[in-house]
Amino acid sequence: ILKIQSLTNFYYYSIWKSCTAEEKYLLYDIAQDGIVNTRNIKVISSLINKGLVISRGTLTLLNRSFRNFILSTVDPSEALSLEMQVNTSGTWKVIRVPLLMTILALAIFLFYTQQSLFKNMMTVVVAIAGAIPLIVKILGSFKSQPKSE
């Protein structure tokens, strides 16, 4: 594996440099633990078409020397930087502002048009907020205790 990697180091390096941030992150993820988000079909298809990833029930890299190249060349801080770049455009980040603006607009509308309903809703919200620690405590009590022998 190391001999093949040393012979193809420049080739692997050129492949790595030609990949997008999403592709690099997915390649690093496969090399590290073999577990990837399979919902990212566009990037996975691109890597399969380039011949860098093989799908055999699970996703694997083209060979072990390429995997070793990725793990030995990519610095963990670079991998973290890639993850931050890739995860900046998630679904929540896209819908967060419009959703919060809609909720705020609805609250303002209810406040001005239905003040009694608004007060009742606020009572329910405060009650739920107060019950959250109790719910967490109850759910925490269901943790399995280790068996003693």
Side-chain angles (χ1 to χ4, degrees), residues 95-110:
I95 67 168
R96 179 179 57 191
V97 173
L99 182 66
L100 292 176
M101 294 298 287
T102 303
I103 292 171
L104 181 63
L106 182 62
I108 291 171
F109 175 75
L110 287 176

Side-chain angles (χ1 to χ4, degrees), residues 3-142:
K3 184 175 182 177
I4 293 171
Q5 181 186 345
S6 68
L7 292 173
T8 58
N9 197 40
F10 291 115
Y11 174 67
Y12 289 160
Y13 189 73
S14 67
I15 289 172
W16 183 257
K17 287 297 181 184
S18 71
C19 292
T20 65
E22 291 91 1
E23 292 172 336
K24 287 179 182 178
Y25 176 69
L26 196 123
L27 287 170
Y28 183 79
D29 208 18
I30 293 172
Q32 189 176 33
D33 56 18
I35 301 171
V36 295
N37 183 356
T38 55
R39 290 183 290 173
N40 200 348
I41 295 295
K42 183 179 176 185
V43 177
I44 293 171
S45 296
S46 171
L47 291 173
I48 290 172
N49 290 336
K50 289 181 179 180
L52 301 177
V53 172
I54 300 167
S55 177
R56 298 181 190 141
T58 60
L59 297 174
T60 57
L61 296 176
L62 71 113
N63 57 36
R64 287 187 257 170
S65 64
F66 186 56
R67 178 183 181 273
N68 195 56
F69 166 81
I70 292 171
L71 293 176
S72 62
T73 304
V74 178
D75 187 39
S77 62
E78 182 183 352
L80 182 61
S81 172
L82 289 171
E83 182 180 8
M84 297 298 259
Q85 287 176 353
V86 169
N87 290 334
T88 57
S89 61
T91 305
W92 171 245
K93 294 196 183 233
V94 171
I95 67 168
R96 179 179 57 191
V97 173
L99 182 66
L100 292 176
M101 294 298 287
T102 303
I103 292 171
L104 181 63
L106 182 62
I108 291 171
F109 175 75
L110 287 176
F111 177 73
Y112 283 114
T113 60
Q114 305 290 327
Q115 288 188 353
S116 63
L117 178 64
F118 185 79
K119 288 178 185 177
N120 290 340
M121 282 181 40
M122 290 308 293
T123 304
V124 171
V125 169
V126 169
I128 290 172
I132 289 176
L134 178 63
I135 293 169
V136 170
K137 186 176 180 180
I138 291 171
L139 292 176
S141 68
F142 289 118

